[in-house]
């Protein structure tokens, strides 16, 4: 039954009808009618962030840890433009977000009015879809359609730009029976003929590898369960992108670790030397492929993705299957029983023997110290002291992010939140706020660098206001670490503007935000300090002073192939790769 209500009331009612319980926002003149409607209800909890970029990252953290749509409300002009980085991040990493932006009244659009910006034009290339609401009659449809677009197909952010006069106008609201978009109907089921052909290739392969990405996690927990069933049934090795960590348990023998620029030796060599690559829910990103003309040169390639534009975009494949990973995996599991008898067991054993030889070289080995905390050691201790708890990890962006991916182990999906495609410094802290609000009783740790964490440090105020016990674990090397590493290895050691001068005292900064500050520089005291962080019932800034010049290895230098990795000095018997100083080893 339709009801008469204002546009602002429609927005709030649509959130309730969509099951939204948490909204991240920052008020301003162009959205005050919506804020007034929020004030008069208690179904949707509004979280006041301190910056609009932080609002979107918090919504991303909430979405990625729950599988729900993250929701954002910001004002016009600078409110909308401040959200652009977060929206682009969500687009790159396929995160479902609906962002409501205020706009000047319709009769002022195009007049350079106060706090006016062309939000639709600005966000066209950083959203999956966007809307400018021009009439109150269109608003109910658009409100619900936006949620459908955000979460169906390849997920992504959607912007609804609502002029202030539309928020005041009255109209009839009715929840639509079908909120689907008129023309956007993504293909869910894969082509069965292509899936059967893929399974024939998988059964006959002598050196196969599964290569999985964030698409498996986006498809829901059932997709990860089906992936595990298929991989264990075949016995084949599996690796994952940064975005796919947790879709397959890191403790399993078939798991080769993460692949790509900072992936493990065994994962990258398996990708390079395989005769069949089965890509499930990844997009052949350049950080994975390295030099395209040398990427897995002897393999046939199968690509499963719900986004048809991803098939053959970066890498030409032999079989491209468009569909939801969960639905396609369901067919693959069923069909495996029909073709499993074709496996060449002798070749398969030889392939695993070769992989175990690569794995034995322990590419993540490093030289530890009794006097200074190595960042790898800090994360190993964090892993040891938290792995038995229900734990969610967010990260900032840089060396610490890659070390976290290497040394923290994930057994389940939706417990790892990081900025992959855009590489957004400032993501981790507000994302942790969103995750903690979604999981108030669980441990949420943001692994950060001292430079990156300052990008959105103001969100510590949000954590304090809502008494969120997030733990910010800062690996402080006093450098923009990844920038310094590239300058050392690729730019002759010319450290141009990569030193973080005039850093704050993070302990005092924590106290200024009504949080706890902890500093540790002694490896012998690290376990006790981490436990103190974990035991404290509120937000913590942990300033972990680590080695200043430690590099993150393994590393595939820009423009190199998977078999041209740089490995750390602690790795022995490394064959035909190059060492930490760039010298070829034979």
């Amino acid at each position: 039954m339709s009801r008469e209500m204002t546009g602002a009331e429609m927005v709030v009612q649509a959130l309730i009808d969509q099951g939204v319980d948490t909204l991240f926002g920052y008020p301003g003149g162009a959205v005050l009618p919506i804020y007034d409607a929020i004030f008069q209800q208690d179904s949707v909890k509004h979280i006041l962030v301190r910056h609009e970029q932080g609002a979107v990252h918090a919504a991303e953290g909430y979405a990625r840890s729950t599988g729900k749509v993250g929701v954002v409300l910001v004002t016009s002009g600078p409110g909308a433009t401040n959200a652009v980085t977060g929206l682009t991040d969500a687009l790159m990493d396929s995160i479902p977000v609906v962002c409501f932006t205020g706009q000047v009244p319709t009769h002022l659009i195009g007049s350079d009015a106060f706090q006016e910006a062309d939000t639709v034009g600005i966000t066209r290339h950083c959203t999956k879809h966007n809307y400018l609401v021009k009439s109150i009659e269109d608003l109910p449809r658009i409100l619900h359609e936006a949620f459908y677009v955000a979460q169906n197909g390849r997920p992504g952010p959607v912007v609804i730009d609502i002029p202030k006069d539309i928020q005041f106008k009255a109209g009839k609201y009715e929840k639509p029976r079908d909120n689907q978009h008129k023309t956007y109907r993504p293909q869910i089921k894969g082509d069965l003929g292509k899936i059967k052909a893929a399974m024939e290739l998988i059964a006959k392969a002598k050196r196969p590898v599964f290569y999985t990405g964030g698409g498996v996690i986006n498809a829901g927990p059932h997709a990860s369960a089906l992936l595990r069933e298929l991989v264990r049934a075949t016995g084949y090795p599996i690796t994952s992108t940064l975005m796919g960590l947790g879709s397959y348990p890191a403790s399993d023998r078939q798991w080769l670790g993460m692949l790509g620029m900072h992936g493990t030796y065994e994962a990258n060599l398996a990708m390079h030397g395989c005769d069949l690559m089965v890509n499930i829910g990844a997009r052949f990103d350049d950080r994975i492929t390295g030099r395209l003309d040398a990427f897995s040169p002897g393999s046939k390639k199968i690509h499963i993705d719900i986004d048809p534009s991803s098939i053959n975009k970066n890498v030409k494949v032999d079989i491209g299957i468009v569909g939801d990973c969960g639905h396609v995996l369901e067919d693959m599991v069923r069909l495996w029983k029909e073709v499993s008898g074709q496996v060449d067991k002798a070749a398969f054993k030889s392939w695993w023997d070769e992989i175990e030889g690569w794995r034995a070289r322990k590419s993540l080995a490093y030289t530890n110290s009794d006097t200074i905390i190595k960042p790898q050691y800090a994360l190993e201790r964090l892993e040891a002291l938290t792995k038995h708890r229900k734990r969610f990890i967010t990260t900032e962006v840089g060396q610490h992010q890659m070390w976290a991916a290497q040394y923290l182990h994930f057994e389940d999906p939706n417990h790892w939140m990081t900025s992959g495609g855009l590489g957004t410094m400032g993501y981790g802290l507000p994302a942790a706020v969103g995750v903690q609000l979604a999981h108030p009783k669980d441990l949420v740790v943001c692994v950060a660098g001292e430079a990156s964490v300052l990008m959105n440090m103001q969100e510590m105020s949000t954590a304090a206001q809502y008494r969120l016990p997030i733990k910010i674990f800062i690996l402080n090397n006093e450098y923009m670490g990844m920038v310094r590493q590239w300058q050392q290895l690729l730019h002759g050691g010319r450290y141009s503007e990569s030193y973080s001068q005039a850093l704050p005292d993070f302990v005092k900064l924590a106290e200024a935000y009504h949080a706890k500050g902890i500093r540790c520089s002694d490896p012998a005291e690290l376990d006790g300090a981490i436990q103190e962080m974990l035991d404290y019932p509120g937000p913590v800034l942990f300033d972990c002073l680590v080695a200043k010049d430690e590099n993150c290895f393994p590393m595939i230098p820009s423009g190199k192939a998977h078999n041209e990795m740089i490995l750390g000095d602690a790795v022995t018997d490394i064959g035909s790769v190059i060492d930490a100083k760039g010298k070829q080893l034979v």
Side-chain angles (χ1 to χ4, degrees):
M1 181 182 292
S2 64
R3 289 175 286 168
E4 189 85 5
M5 57 179 69
T6 66
E9 291 169 337
M10 289 181 186
V11 171
V12 175
Q13 187 59 50
L15 297 181
I16 295 170
D17 289 343
Q18 286 289 335
V20 174
D21 54 23
T22 307
L23 168 67
F24 302 90
Y26 200 95
V31 286
L32 287 184
I34 299 175
Y35 271 89
D36 191 52
I38 291 171
F39 184 82
Q40 300 179 60
Q41 58 82 50
D42 57 9
S43 297
V44 179
K45 182 178 182 179
H46 180 276
I47 302 300
L48 178 65
V49 298
R50 288 350 187 228
H51 191 282
E52 292 87 354
Q53 181 185 346
V56 185
H57 292 328
E60 286 185 274
Y62 180 94
R64 292 174 70 168
S65 65
T66 63
K68 301 178 182 179
V69 176
V71 185
V72 177
L73 173 60
V74 299
T75 194
S76 64
T81 58
N82 281 348
V84 164
T85 298
L87 292 169
T88 308
D89 189 271
L91 181 69
M92 293 285 282
D93 285 349
S94 306
I95 310 304
V97 170
V98 171
C99 178
F100 297 94
T101 60
Q103 185 53 275
V104 300
T106 51
H107 68 279
L108 290 179
I109 292 176
S111 69
D112 295 330
F114 176 67
Q115 289 194 333
E116 181 189 2
D118 178 11
T119 301
V120 168
I122 290 168
T123 63
R124 181 167 288 121
H125 298 291
C126 64
T127 56
K128 186 177 176 182
H129 194 56
N130 62 16
Y131 301 86
L132 172 61
V133 182
K134 297 180 180 179
S135 71
I136 191 68
E137 291 76 20
D138 290 336
L139 183 57
R141 172 186 59 81
I142 289 172
L143 291 171
H144 292 282
E145 194 175 272
F147 279 83
Y148 172 84
V149 172
Q151 62 191 323
N152 284 276
R154 179 180 176 182
V158 176
V159 161
I160 307 176
D161 197 32
I162 311 177
K164 191 169 184 179
D165 57 319
I166 300 294
Q167 298 171 41
F168 278 119
K169 282 185 179 179
K172 292 184 178 180
Y173 172 86
E174 184 175 6
K175 181 182 178 182
R177 295 178 183 176
D178 180 5
N179 64 349
Q180 293 185 4
H181 193 276
K182 292 178 183 178
T183 58
Y184 181 61
R185 302 292 176 90
Q187 183 176 332
I188 302 300
K189 293 287 289 183
D191 182 285
L192 193 57
K194 290 185 176 181
I195 297 174
K196 287 181 177 179
M199 296 311 296
E200 290 284 344
L201 284 181
I202 291 171
K204 294 177 181 177
K206 299 180 186 301
R207 301 162 65 86
V209 64
F210 286 107
Y211 150 43
T212 59
V216 177
I217 293 174
N218 287 339
H222 71 291
S224 293
L226 287 165
L227 174 67
R228 295 167 191 221
E229 186 177 351
L230 178 64
V231 172
R232 286 165 178 161
T234 61
Y236 293 171
I238 178 171
T239 181
S240 171
T241 67
L242 180 74
M243 299 302 297
L245 297 178
S247 59
Y248 194 85
S251 60
D252 193 88
R253 185 189 74 85
Q254 291 170 244
W255 171 247
L256 305 184
M258 183 179 71
L259 78 153
M261 180 170 283
H262 293 286
T264 64
Y265 184 61
E266 55 267 31
N268 283 333
L269 267 288
M271 287 285 282
H272 184 78
C274 68
D275 70 345
L276 178 68
M277 178 188 301
V278 186
N279 177 337
I280 307 175
R283 57 188 177 87
F284 289 111
D285 175 74
D286 61 286
R287 288 295 175 106
I288 296 301
T289 62
R291 200 174 85 233
L292 276 174
D293 63 358
F295 173 63
S296 194
S299 70
K300 290 184 179 295
K301 299 174 180 67
I302 299 167
H303 189 187
I304 301 163
D305 204 296
I306 199 166
D307 182 4
S309 70
S310 291
I311 307 291
N312 291 318
K313 180 170 70 174
N314 296 326
V315 172
K316 182 173 174 55
V317 298
D318 297 275
I319 299 178
I321 301 170
V322 178
D324 176 84
C325 289
H327 286 276
V328 176
L329 281 165
E330 189 173 359
D331 287 332
M332 293 175 78
V333 168
R334 176 175 50 82
L335 291 170
W336 173 250
K337 297 172 185 176
E338 299 177 11
V339 299
S340 58
Q342 302 176 37
V343 174
D344 184 337
K345 294 183 179 179
F348 180 55
K349 181 182 183 303
S350 176
W351 177 227
W352 263 116
D353 287 345
E354 189 168 7
I355 289 172
E356 293 299 345
W358 296 329
R359 181 181 271 164
R361 292 172 181 175
K362 300 186 182 303
S363 62
L364 296 182
Y366 63 96
T367 303
N368 208 354
S369 170
D370 292 330
T371 58
I372 190 167
I373 299 174
K374 290 296 186 79
Q376 303 95 319
Y377 178 73
L379 288 167
E380 284 184 335
R381 299 317 303 154
L382 180 66
E383 167 71 12
L385 293 168
T386 63
K387 65 181 180 180
H388 299 301
R389 299 178 59 172
K390 188 174 181 183
R391 176 191 72 180
F392 295 84
I393 301 292
T394 74
T395 78
E396 295 291 341
V397 169
Q399 284 180 316
H400 62 274
Q401 176 191 29
M402 295 298 106
W403 280 316
Q406 292 172 341
Y407 293 96
L408 301 181
H409 302 146
F410 300 92
E411 301 297 302
D412 298 297
N414 302 108
H415 287 255
W416 163 252
M417 276 62 64
T418 194
S419 176
L422 194 62
T424 307
M425 294 174 72
Y427 169 89
L429 197 165
V433 166
V435 175
Q436 190 74 81
L437 282 158
H439 306 275
K441 296 181 180 179
D442 298 319
L443 173 64
V444 178
V445 180
C446 171
V447 178
E450 81 291 337
S452 190
V453 76
L454 290 175
M455 289 280 190
N456 276 314
M457 178 55 75
Q458 74 284 341
E459 299 310 326
M460 281 298 292
S461 182
T462 306
Q465 177 177 343
Y466 297 99
R467 297 178 175 85
L468 304 176
I470 59 175
K471 316 302 180 189
I472 313 301
F473 191 70
I474 303 170
L475 299 182
N476 186 350
N477 59 13
E478 298 184 357
Y479 276 101
M480 300 174 205
M482 194 62 82
V483 172
R484 183 207 58 75
Q485 177 169 333
W486 281 53
Q487 287 174 332
Q488 176 190 343
L489 298 176
L490 306 175
H491 297 278
R494 294 180 290 278
Y495 301 127
S496 177
E497 302 299 326
S498 56
Y499 180 65
S500 302
Q501 296 187 40
L503 286 169
D505 181 324
F506 283 106
V507 172
K508 291 181 179 178
L509 185 59
E511 293 168 355
Y513 279 115
H514 311 288
K516 183 177 183 62
I518 300 173
R519 180 176 295 113
C520 184
S521 59
D522 185 346
E525 298 175 358
L526 183 59
D527 277 22
I530 291 175
Q531 194 59 53
E532 182 184 0
M533 175 186 77
L534 298 175
D535 291 342
Y536 185 72
V540 177
L541 279 178
F542 188 111
D543 189 14
C544 187
L545 304 180
V546 300
K548 298 181 189 299
D549 57 355
E550 194 75 5
N551 286 331
C552 183
F553 296 126
M555 176 184 175
I556 302 175
S558 180
K560 298 294 184 180
H562 280 135
N563 63 335
E564 297 177 289
M565 284 181 285
I566 302 176
L567 300 183
D569 291 331
V571 182
T572 57
D573 185 27
I574 53 181
S576 182
V577 293
I578 51 181
D579 69 6
K581 299 179 178 63
K583 180 181 177 182
Q584 184 74 31
L585 298 174
V586 180

